[in-house]
Amino acid sequence: MSTSGGAGFSYTEVDDVSRTLAVFGFYVSVIALASYTLKERLYLSDALIALLLGIAVGPIGWNLVSPSTWMEHDTELTNRLTYELARIVIGIQVLFTGIALPKRYLADAWESLTTLLLLVMTIAWLVSAAFVYALIPGITFLEALCIAACVTPTDPVLANSVVKGRFAEKYIPPHVRNIIAAEAGANDGLGFPFIFLAIYLMARFIDNRSIGQEIGWWIVDVWLYQIALSIAIGAVIGFLAMKSVKFAEQHNMIDHESFLAIGIGLTFLTLGLTGMLGSDDILACFIVGNAFTWDGWFLERTKDETFQDVIDSLLNTGIFIYIGTIMPWAEFGNGEIGLSAWRLVVLAILILLFRRLPWVLLARKIIPDLVTWQEACFAGWFGPIGVGAVYYAQVGLRRVPEDRTLVREIIVPIVYFIVLASVVVHGITIPIFKRTLCLKPFAPWLEVCA
């Protein structure tokens, strides 16, 4: 019997979509059989497991899934797909983060958040830029600032794996979990001023403007139009959604499934509206989540539901399998553009150690939500770099001036390597933290938390 189904087609042909579905289905249905052991006993994160699977099935491994082939090896289309996937995943995650925070949390924790988002984040940006400038040859400090801006924000997807689960509930005080989640949700949107300041200053030669003029445009375009407008849009959408859902629920107009899924709809609405306006869609999603549960009503009604946790897990799985398959391995050792392997390894180590931890410890006394040195140490260390960095790397590719050829070549491999390092290191930290002798100095604190 012929297997031919027409010119150039065979019924036995295995297409890219089928392989991708098989891999994702394998993770969800087969790896899930050991999920309790992996996550609740070994304390391994979804992100780490999914990333390793993505690497294994990607071009460097079994070559079952290769997103570049979906786009016929068109780099621009692949980058566009990566940008949109990361944007959607982060939008959903930060909105869910906003929903999960206690009522009026932004008002109650404003001192801690201000310190973390303005002081610590700015220092982290400058320190990371200094490391990039020192280790990557041929770039200017301005270009280093652009690359560093991508890895400055704390990733909300990875932060969720830290603040949720049996380990977090048993050992990490709620106020520490909340401040880590809130900062991760907010600072992904607040990464725009950092990357765009570098981009605007690089573009001053093309625009024939002075540094002062570019900074003026940066204030108007980024801080007023993108940041301030997105906060206003998010607050309005969240407030109207809260009132509408309350009204619909009180009058039996909304069913249970739609009630639980309203967050997904709000994410797409916010991403679409702010995207059309050219505003900061990620920050807007976080504000929507906060405004939607400002009085705690929705959170109280859904505290026993697991819908958002299921969505979180699926999103984490999907995006990190994808990231694992698009890792630019060939560029990691490309000495021609200054990316020797040792430079990337040293850069990743320095950024993970010094980008955030020392500054959180030094600022602890003006961060009311971090009461002890141990809490500051935990919050300072767990500032993981993940999907948000991938997103900002794509933003950089879209907006960095065309004449900056070197930074356009190296921004993706540098950022992706640091993401890889962060996922692995932060992914194994909790198992080590929990199971090795290095826990002894923290034993009294852990006993109190438990």
PDB file of all heavy atoms in Angstrom, residues 108 270 288 373:
ATOM      1  N   ASP A 108       0.738  49.156  51.436  1.00  0.00           N
ATOM      2  CA  ASP A 108       1.323  48.758  52.722  1.00  0.00           C
ATOM      3  C   ASP A 108       2.835  48.543  52.634  1.00  0.00           C
ATOM      4  O   ASP A 108       3.553  48.770  53.611  1.00  0.00           O
ATOM      5  CB  ASP A 108       0.655  47.476  53.229  1.00  0.00           C
ATOM      6  CG  ASP A 108      -0.816  47.689  53.554  1.00  0.00           C
ATOM      7  OD1 ASP A 108      -1.194  48.845  53.824  1.00  0.00           O
ATOM      8  OD2 ASP A 108      -1.580  46.708  53.517  1.00  0.00           O
ATOM      9  N   THR A 270      -5.286  43.628  28.509  1.00  0.00           N
ATOM     10  CA  THR A 270      -4.278  44.625  28.878  1.00  0.00           C
ATOM     11  C   THR A 270      -3.111  44.622  27.898  1.00  0.00           C
ATOM     12  O   THR A 270      -2.645  45.686  27.460  1.00  0.00           O
ATOM     13  CB  THR A 270      -3.759  44.359  30.303  1.00  0.00           C
ATOM     14  OG1 THR A 270      -4.865  44.292  31.204  1.00  0.00           O
ATOM     15  CG2 THR A 270      -2.820  45.463  30.750  1.00  0.00           C
ATOM     16  N   VAL A 288      -2.920  45.878  36.949  1.00  0.00           N
ATOM     17  CA  VAL A 288      -4.279  45.321  36.815  1.00  0.00           C
ATOM     18  C   VAL A 288      -4.529  44.280  37.895  1.00  0.00           C
ATOM     19  O   VAL A 288      -5.584  44.285  38.551  1.00  0.00           O
ATOM     20  CB  VAL A 288      -4.483  44.701  35.415  1.00  0.00           C
ATOM     21  CG1 VAL A 288      -5.769  43.869  35.384  1.00  0.00           C
ATOM     22  CG2 VAL A 288      -4.561  45.786  34.362  1.00  0.00           C
ATOM     23  N   TRP A 373      18.756  39.644  59.025  1.00  0.00           N
ATOM     24  CA  TRP A 373      19.807  39.466  58.029  1.00  0.00           C
ATOM     25  C   TRP A 373      19.546  38.223  57.183  1.00  0.00           C
ATOM     26  O   TRP A 373      19.843  38.198  55.990  1.00  0.00           O
ATOM     27  CB  TRP A 373      21.170  39.356  58.712  1.00  0.00           C
ATOM     28  CG  TRP A 373      21.674  40.654  59.250  1.00  0.00           C
ATOM     29  CD1 TRP A 373      21.752  41.045  60.550  1.00  0.00           C
ATOM     30  CD2 TRP A 373      22.166  41.762  58.484  1.00  0.00           C
ATOM     31  NE1 TRP A 373      22.249  42.313  60.654  1.00  0.00           N
ATOM     32  CE2 TRP A 373      22.526  42.785  59.392  1.00  0.00           C
ATOM     33  CE3 TRP A 373      22.350  41.997  57.122  1.00  0.00           C
ATOM     34  CZ2 TRP A 373      23.047  44.013  58.990  1.00  0.00           C
ATOM     35  CZ3 TRP A 373      22.870  43.218  56.712  1.00  0.00           C
ATOM     36  CH2 TRP A 373      23.214  44.203  57.634  1.00  0.00           C
TER      37      TRP A 373
END
